[in-house]
Amino acid sequence: MLSCVKKINKKMFKIHPKKQKKTKVKLLGAVQINNTSYFVCKNVDGNISLKTGQEEKLQKKLLNRMIELNPRVRDLLGSYKIRPTIDTKTLRELAGGHMNETCNVAIGIYSMLPQEMKSSIKEETIKEASMLHDLGKVLIPSKILNKPSRLNKKEREIMNIHSTLGYELLKTQNIKEETLDLVKYHHQNLKCSGYPALTDDMKHSDIGVQIISTADKYSALREARVYRRKLSRIESLLILYKEVLEGKIHKEIYKALIEYARIYDRDK
């Protein structure tokens, strides 16, 4: 007669620890605090927290989730035979540098505008859009993004989809449509000769688009890039004045930029 085994040799079995549930994090938007940009995140418990672009692991997780939620992102990249790879170094540099500075300039322009122009858009929307406007660049191959010479036609086409990629990534989150539109069209201008093409429901004279676009250009000119040196305040303003003469930048927005630069951008 066989006896029952009373003791079990634990070494014979692999004991798996109870798997912890992954905390789902949703990107709600962005805020500006003491000249630093923060991503506003909400977890499954409803707790709100602020995360900087330095926290690459979280940001990569968020972006991967955005890609999963919107097949349009993969389709857009696939049309150029690009795999959806997230460049966290670019994200860190953008969040701590260009997007942060563009936000400073955009809010500066907004503050200098006549009241009747301000009334058409909220300052909060300008803040969010300016700090998220270049998010799509994290999916642009670094060899194109950091190319030290002029981009060829194909590379320029790929570079130009970054604004649409940013829009598609962010539309999976709880972000206002007005903010999303500013992200998508921040490379448009008063003559509608920018990219992507405006839809029928978007006006070429939209003040928000003009503010973000002008702030983006000015902050980019004031930064050193792999293909050129940092331009001075006067050089940058003169370049943008040509666009005013060409009818691409609203005169009042340019005047507001000059006033902002005169007071806050003292570096010659």
Side-chain angles (χ1 to χ4, degrees):
M1 186 175 179
L2 296 175
S3 60
C4 296
V5 179
K6 293 183 179 180
K7 291 185 180 180
I8 299 175
N9 186 351
K10 291 183 179 180
K11 291 182 179 180
M12 294 174 63
F13 302 92
K14 289 184 179 180
I15 308 297
H16 293 284
K18 210 172 184 178
K19 288 186 178 181
Q20 294 183 342
K21 289 184 179 180
K22 292 183 178 179
T23 303
K24 292 183 179 179
V25 180
K26 179 179 282 189
L27 178 65
L28 299 181
V31 293
Q32 178 93 351
I33 302 174
N34 295 330
N35 295 322
T36 301
S37 59
Y38 294 87
F39 290 95
V40 183
C41 303
K42 182 179 181 181
N43 65 21
V44 71
D45 299 319
N47 296 321
I48 304 294
S49 59
L50 301 180
K51 304 294 182 181
T52 70
Q54 304 296 327
E55 299 181 55
E56 295 178 14
K57 189 174 182 180
L58 172 65
Q59 302 309 330
K60 192 169 183 178
K61 180 180 178 181
L62 282 169
L63 288 163
N64 276 320
R65 181 59 179 157
M66 292 181 197
I67 294 170
E68 289 174 12
L69 291 172
N70 190 354
R72 172 68 180 145
V73 175
R74 287 183 181 276
D75 292 343
L76 189 56
L77 290 170
S79 64
Y80 291 97
K81 297 180 180 179
I82 299 172
R83 294 181 63 188
T85 304
I86 297 167
D87 189 338
T88 49
K89 180 184 177 183
T90 297
L91 177 61
R92 183 175 66 251
E93 291 173 349
L94 286 170
H98 177 68
M99 291 198 291
N100 191 66
E101 186 54 33
T102 297
C103 181
N104 291 333
V105 179
I107 295 304
I109 291 173
Y110 181 86
S111 68
M112 301 295 176
L113 287 175
Q115 189 55 45
E116 61 269 23
M117 293 182 75
K118 286 183 182 179
S119 63
S120 66
I121 191 166
K122 293 180 180 178
E123 182 178 359
E124 177 188 346
T125 303
I126 294 295
K127 280 185 179 181
E128 285 188 344
S130 57
M131 283 195 291
L132 295 171
H133 76 284
D134 266 350
L135 185 65
K137 282 187 176 179
V138 300
L139 294 175
I140 301 296
S142 58
K143 65 180 181 181
I144 294 177
L145 200 61
N146 300 310
K147 187 177 179 180
S149 56
R150 191 181 183 88
L151 299 179
N152 60 39
K153 184 179 178 181
K154 183 67 174 294
E155 290 168 337
R156 173 51 58 189
E157 285 181 13
I158 293 172
M159 178 68 85
N160 287 358
I161 66 172
H162 79 269
S163 52
T164 302
L165 284 172
Y167 169 81
E168 296 294 345
L169 286 169
L170 292 167
K171 72 187 287 191
T172 64
Q173 307 300 304
N174 187 25
I175 296 177
K176 294 178 296 184
E177 192 64 35
E178 189 175 13
T179 299
L180 293 175
D181 284 338
L182 295 186
V183 170
K184 185 174 183 177
Y185 296 112
H186 74 269
H187 277 287
Q188 263 300 346
N189 56 60
L190 210 54
K191 291 187 73 175
C192 304
S193 58
Y195 63 87
L198 290 166
T199 56
D200 293 337
D201 59 337
M202 280 294 294
K203 297 179 180 178
H204 70 278
S205 59
D206 184 271
I207 299 301
V209 171
Q210 281 287 293
I211 293 172
I212 304 296
S213 173
T214 303
D216 180 37
K217 289 173 183 176
Y218 182 77
S219 60
L221 291 169
R222 295 289 282 125
E223 297 164 8
R225 296 292 171 92
V226 291
Y227 50 85
R228 62 156 173 80
R229 64 176 175 82
K230 171 184 175 180
L231 301 184
S232 70
R233 171 168 54 102
I234 300 301
E235 286 175 314
S236 302
L237 290 172
L238 285 174
I239 288 172
L240 295 182
Y241 182 60
K242 291 179 182 178
E243 295 202 18
V244 176
L245 296 178
E246 294 168 354
K248 293 180 179 179
I249 294 178
H250 197 292
K251 290 180 181 179
E252 287 295 331
I253 288 178
Y254 182 70
K255 283 169 63 178
L257 172 63
I258 291 176
E259 191 63 14
Y260 160 79
R262 182 183 69 81
I263 299 172
Y264 297 105
D265 192 2
R266 305 302 297 172
D267 179 16
K268 296 180 180 179

